Amino acid sequence: MTYPVFETFHSWQGEGEHVGRSAFFIRLYGCPIRCSWCDSAGTWKRDWTGSRDVRDLDARTLADAAAAARPDFVVVTGGEPAIHDLAPLVDALHAKKLRVHVETCGAFEIRGNVDWVTLSPKPQRPPLAENWARASEIKLIISEPADIAFWEARIGPNSVRSIWLHPEWSRRENAEVLDAISAHVRARGAPFRAGWQTHKLFGVR
């Protein structure tokens, strides 16, 4: 079995509970959600400026590359990685003694015994009930203050320690959005937390 790979790279996790830790990223091609503000549009737009050639790579090749980087863990992302059967890839990475994190919108079955699930729901296609329950953390993208209430009313049963409120990147300097996030965290406290894409401050992927 092969996977359509948009890119792989060794960096560090810029978001969430594991921010700042060494991570090897496997970014898979393909996404039926196609958010207008997507910062990885090359994973579903063939004519995207700066797009890369998509390579079909098998699980063992990907696991070998990840192991060579000696990261703390591997992040499988996209696009939307759960449209693919991740089980063979997860098994290959586990065989290399690597922990596997996946970032997903949650609208598709997550196949494979992954170690950590970052659930980043999208209104166009909400998460499956099983994925709300499976989430290790939740990352909400906030474009407008009303987005906070929208998602708070829809978050399903879970036991996550953190629900991150991230300003949509093009709105990262919008005072109304930032004030709404700050006010909600002050008012509600845990599990709500203010989030940021810290890797972009360092100029790394």
Side-chain angles (χ1 to χ4, degrees):
M1 179 176 180
T2 61
Y3 295 89
V5 178
F6 179 72
E7 63 179 345
T8 61
F9 57 96
H10 184 202
S11 185
W12 48 271
Q13 177 59 274
E15 306 169 6
E17 291 280 349
H18 297 278
V19 66
R21 297 181 63 198
S22 172
F24 186 86
F25 290 81
I26 299 173
R27 189 181 300 282
L28 301 180
Y29 183 84
C31 180
I33 308 300
R34 304 187 173 191
C35 301
S36 60
W37 42 259
C38 179
D39 61 2
S40 302
T43 58
W44 51 270
K45 281 185 177 179
R46 286 289 188 178
D47 60 349
W48 179 67
T49 302
S51 64
R52 298 166 174 81
D53 291 332
V54 176
R55 299 169 294 160
D56 290 322
L57 299 176
D58 62 42
R60 180 177 296 180
T61 298
L62 289 166
D64 286 344
R70 302 181 65 185
D72 293 336
F73 53 88
V74 176
V75 179
V76 183
T77 184
E80 173 45 61
I83 63 174
H84 308 286
D85 182 358
L86 298 180
L89 177 58
V90 172
D91 289 347
L93 291 165
H94 281 167
K96 296 289 186 178
K97 309 300 182 185
L98 292 167
R99 288 180 57 83
V100 183
H101 296 199
V102 64
E103 179 162 337
T104 174
C105 72
F108 306 91
E109 178 189 0
I110 303 169
R111 290 164 285 180
N113 186 28
V114 301
D115 302 292
W116 185 270
V117 176
T118 298
L119 187 66
S120 185
K122 306 299 185 292
Q124 305 96 309
R125 195 158 178 179
L128 303 174
E130 65 195 59
N131 290 335
W132 283 120
R134 193 172 179 180
S136 307
E137 62 182 348
I138 295 171
K139 182 178 73 173
L140 303 178
I141 306 301
I142 308 303
S143 297
E144 303 290 344
D147 294 342
I148 299 175
F150 174 89
W151 282 117
E152 188 172 21
R154 289 163 176 79
I155 291 174
N158 60 75
S159 58
V160 298
R161 292 184 299 174
S162 300
I163 299 174
W164 299 92
L165 304 178
H166 276 248
E168 191 274 305
W169 192 246
S170 71
R171 307 274 283 167
R172 66 190 181 277
E173 296 181 359
N174 183 281
E176 189 178 15
V177 170
L178 297 179
D179 288 349
I181 291 173
S182 296
H184 195 79
V185 171
R186 287 196 301 266
R188 294 295 308 277
F192 291 96
R193 300 175 68 172
W196 195 257
Q197 293 181 297
T198 60
H199 55 290
K200 292 184 177 179
L201 299 176
F202 284 73
V204 299
R205 287 183 291 171

